[in-house]
Amino acid sequence: MSHLEADCLFCKIIRGEIPSYTVFENDDVKAFLDISQVNPGHVLLVPKNHLVNFFSYSPEDAQRYLQYIPTLAKAILKSNARFTGMNVMTNNGQVAGQVVMHSHIHLIPRFPDDGLTIPTRNNAAKYDQAAYEQIANDIKQSLEVS
Ligand code: 5GP
Ligand code: ZN
């Protein structure tokens, strides 16, 4: 049985209280069209348990819920001859752009000249070997104690 929360938008969609255009569903996950359709075919993959974001996942959760990403990605890609690529992304935390606090993975199909720009920047010029080493060591240390 899934752990759902009364006031959560995606729990309401999972319970069927809010309609959605579902493309795949089983006991563990539901995949449905994102209302915004950043590009046509934009799908959200959502665990049926109310996990807030990746920071709430155990390794078992990851295995259980994320295994559907490649299958879904390939099905979406095949669904429209124009699609030639896809951005698979998840916003974790408000500062990262997460608005709905129930974990979800965006699958956004891409086609040539679709006009979508995923923001990025290159700060390589600001980093030397010591700076890279410091950052990598901090993360490695954090992994050792987790
Ligand atoms: P986030 O910014 O949290 O990563 O993404 C939340 C997503 O949920 C947005 O892309 C938004 O369009 C989508 N969304 C918000 N409300 C609804 C809704 O009622 N139904 C569906 N299908 N998607 C929604
Ligand atoms: Zn929820």
Side-chain angles (χ1 to χ4, degrees):
M1 192 60 197
S2 301
H3 298 95
L4 298 172
E5 296 214 340
D7 293 331
C8 169
L9 175 66
F10 286 173
C11 285
K12 285 181 184 166
I13 287 178
I14 289 161
R15 283 195 297 266
E17 293 168 13
I18 293 174
S20 64
Y21 295 94
T22 301
V23 300
F24 176 77
E25 182 165 18
N26 65 14
D27 286 346
D28 288 333
V29 296
K30 188 174 174 86
F32 53 89
L33 297 187
D34 189 299
I35 204 163
S36 70
Q37 291 296 285
V38 164
N39 266 345
H42 178 185
V43 163
L44 299 175
L45 172 65
V46 176
K48 285 198 170 174
N49 276 332
H50 180 86
L51 295 169
V52 172
N53 54 37
F54 276 4
F55 304 128
S56 326
Y57 277 55
S58 66
E60 292 74 24
D61 289 327
Q63 245 172 355
R64 190 167 165 196
Y65 302 124
L66 304 183
Q67 61 173 301
Y68 301 98
I69 292 174
T71 308
L72 257 180
K74 284 183 261 187
I76 295 166
L77 193 74
K78 231 173 86 178
S79 71
N80 186 321
R82 277 195 308 165
F83 298 160
T84 50
M86 190 171 298
N87 290 106
V88 178
M89 48 184 280
T90 172
N91 302 324
N92 296 281
Q94 222 169 358
V95 73
Q98 184 176 10
V99 174
V100 177
M101 290 298 162
H102 179 134
S103 173
H104 52 281
I105 293 93
H106 295 263
L107 295 101
I108 304 174
R110 302 299 305 268
F111 50 92
D113 303 318
D114 62 12
L116 181 63
T117 313
I118 305 288
T120 182
R121 62 182 167 194
N122 187 345
N123 283 325
K126 297 183 194 162
Y127 288 78
D128 58 13
Q129 190 181 338
Y132 284 119
E133 273 172 4
Q134 178 69 60
I135 294 167
N137 284 335
D138 287 346
I139 297 170
K140 283 195 278 188
Q141 214 171 15
S142 180
L143 273 168
E144 279 161 20
V145 296
S146 64

